[in-house]
Amino acid sequence: MLRRMSPSSKIALGIFCGVILLYGAAFALLFSLAQSHGADMATFLAAEDDARGYVALARTLLETGQFNSPFNGGPEYFSTPLYPVFVGGLIEVFDSLATVALVQILLLAGSASLLFLLGERFFSRFAGIGAAILFVLDPTTLIQTLGIYTEIPFVFLLLSGIYLITHTRSLSNHACIIAGLLFGAMMLVRPIGLYILPLVVLGMMFISKETWTKTFRSAAIVLIAALLVAGPWAARNYVVGGSFAISSIGSYNPLFYNVVLFEAYRRGVGEQEIVKEISTKLGTSLKRDWRSFAYAHKAKALTREYLSGHWFEYAWFHLVKTLPFVAGSGWEVTKRQFHNNKIFVSEKKVIDTNVTGMILAGKWSDAWNALRADTSVFIERLVWVFL
């Protein structure tokens, strides 16, 4: 069988098997270290609030048969359903959270192979191999794979859909339908997929060698197939919550993340003070209300009210706060996560260095010294900047 495979397929298979071996060994080693410090599988895989929330949603779904909040029992609008269903299904079948990490290792291996194939197609074989290696060895990827997080299934669905619509010169209807279904599932894993899909479709139209008529038809097929998957969930939210949307995150995050951080910085006060002020204006201090569609319109209006007249100042603030996504340190995040997961236990408290806050305050010297304080983290940041 291997003799019949093309060189590219052999490399992709090698990457797939290599990732399974590497991450399987990492899983066994890291869990044994965590276990030696008194951690169980739940602590190891779900040390953060988001991870614990997904597990709680999955268990509530198994116990009640409904996608309700595990905290107040009402309908859940903030999280999309597919990842909790994925976690709950594995718990139901195997009665173990460990299977989530094991399946995500397989999805990571598939993603790395697809990344190689896409890199080879659009650039070169060397570029494809390099992209796959960087992706797999990124410390953040390790955390996201060996934990209850949505990133790895999301990336796998995204890359699978892109591969289907780009691996041949002709855009077949079957490939577009399957890709659309995958993109629809992607949106139900992470709602940000709703904003990524149009970019994928635009890219598909840009690189297509077909006529404009066929390209538009293929793009329409992808969008319709995606809507067939995500549409019923948006309809559920309309019936139950009064809004045809897949998640309430679009009104919650801008107000309770972007605005809170910006106003705290602009006015020089604590974030909790801004949250309290917003709660008063919304007329509720309950987080479940903030995340519901009932307050979505008011939350969006408040976001505009706070940012009105400060757009240029906010643009600078947002740019600086986005820097960690461009030149951040996966190793820094991993060290903090290892501490939380009890993989490495230290009496020294793990402290987040607010470099972006120093930059916003004009303390450039302090920011530079903070960046250089940890040599390994500094080198990693330089690597990502140059890449």
Side-chain angles (χ1 to χ4, degrees):
M1 181 179 176
L2 287 175
R3 292 180 179 178
R4 298 177 184 176
M5 294 174 65
S6 66
S8 297
S9 297
K10 289 180 181 178
I11 294 173
L13 179 60
I15 291 173
F16 184 85
C17 295
V19 170
I20 291 175
L21 291 173
L22 176 64
Y23 269 70
F27 182 37
L29 173 63
L30 294 176
F31 178 60
S32 66
L33 289 171
Q35 204 171 28
S36 68
H37 295 127
D40 57 10
M41 186 60 71
T43 302
F44 176 70
L45 295 177
E48 300 287 330
D49 289 342
D50 285 349
R52 286 194 291 267
Y54 288 127
V55 174
L57 270 173
R59 295 196 184 280
T60 301
L61 181 62
L62 291 175
E63 292 168 3
T64 66
Q66 297 180 324
F67 196 69
N68 289 339
S69 169
F71 307 108
N72 59 60
E76 175 67 25
Y77 303 114
F78 189 75
S79 297
T80 42
L82 203 54
Y83 190 68
V85 169
F86 165 76
V87 173
L90 291 174
I91 292 174
E92 178 72 10
V93 174
F94 298 101
D95 193 28
S96 172
L97 274 177
T99 54
V100 178
L102 294 175
V103 172
Q104 287 185 169
I105 289 173
L106 293 177
L107 296 179
L108 172 65
S111 298
S113 300
L114 289 169
L115 195 56
F116 157 69
L117 293 171
L118 288 168
E120 182 185 45
R121 172 167 176 74
F122 290 107
F123 300 100
S124 67
R125 180 167 294 173
F126 178 79
I129 293 173
I133 291 174
L134 287 174
F135 174 55
V136 171
L137 296 184
D138 185 342
T140 308
T141 302
L142 178 68
I143 294 299
Q144 293 166 349
T145 304
L146 304 184
I148 311 297
Y149 300 107
T150 59
E151 280 81 359
I152 297 304
F154 177 85
V155 169
F156 176 75
L157 291 168
L158 174 62
L159 292 177
S160 296
I162 293 174
Y163 178 76
L164 278 173
I165 58 178
T166 60
H167 81 290
T168 59
R169 290 184 176 276
S170 60
L171 293 167
S172 69
N173 290 340
H174 288 94
C176 290
I177 290 172
I178 297 173
L181 295 176
L182 291 171
F183 291 142
M186 172 190 73
M187 290 188 288
L188 294 185
V189 170
R190 287 175 65 86
I192 195 174
L194 182 66
Y195 305 101
I196 292 178
L197 180 58
L199 299 178
V200 172
V201 172
L202 285 174
M204 165 186 166
M205 297 172 68
F206 179 75
I207 66 172
S208 174
K209 304 298 183 182
E210 301 291 343
T211 63
W212 278 106
T213 301
K214 184 173 182 181
T215 300
F216 274 115
R217 185 174 69 239
S218 298
I221 291 173
V222 170
L223 292 173
I224 291 171
L227 181 62
L228 288 175
V229 176
W233 186 251
R236 173 263 191 190
N237 286 339
Y238 178 77
V239 172
V240 178
S243 181
F244 190 80
I246 62 173
S247 170
S248 61
I249 194 172
S251 58
Y252 176 85
N253 271 14
L255 182 60
F256 284 96
Y257 182 70
N258 298 45
V259 167
V260 166
L261 290 176
F262 175 64
E263 285 296 303
Y265 150 73
R266 189 177 70 85
R267 287 150 59 175
V269 298
E271 293 173 18
Q272 287 305 312
E273 184 175 333
I274 305 299
V275 171
K276 186 177 180 180
E277 179 181 291
I278 290 174
S279 302
T280 302
K281 290 186 176 183
L282 281 177
T284 176
S285 60
L286 299 176
K287 193 173 184 178
R288 69 184 183 189
D289 291 337
W290 302 342
R291 291 186 169 192
S292 73
F293 287 115
Y295 289 84
H297 181 74
K298 200 169 183 179
K300 290 178 180 178
L302 272 178
T303 299
R304 291 191 296 269
E305 177 187 316
Y306 274 108
L307 298 183
S308 179
H310 306 287
W311 292 110
F312 290 107
E313 189 178 3
Y314 174 72
W316 166 245
F317 172 84
H318 190 77
L319 176 64
V320 173
K321 284 294 183 181
T322 306
L323 287 177
F325 295 98
V326 180
S329 171
W331 176 234
E332 188 174 43
V333 174
T334 302
K335 287 195 295 184
R336 184 174 65 250
Q337 188 76 9
F338 279 0
H339 179 83
N340 294 338
N341 290 2
K342 296 188 176 181
I343 294 170
F344 299 122
V345 177
S346 172
E347 294 182 0
K348 184 179 179 181
K349 186 177 180 181
V350 178
I351 301 174
D352 289 329
T353 303
N354 188 10
V355 176
T356 56
M358 296 174 188
I359 294 174
L360 288 169
K363 299 177 180 178
W364 297 94
S365 178
D366 291 344
W368 175 246
N369 290 331
L371 285 171
R372 294 187 302 155
D374 189 320
T375 304
S376 61
V377 169
F378 181 63
I379 292 173
E380 185 196 358
R381 282 194 170 104
L382 287 178
V383 169
W384 286 123
V385 167
F386 285 113
L387 287 175

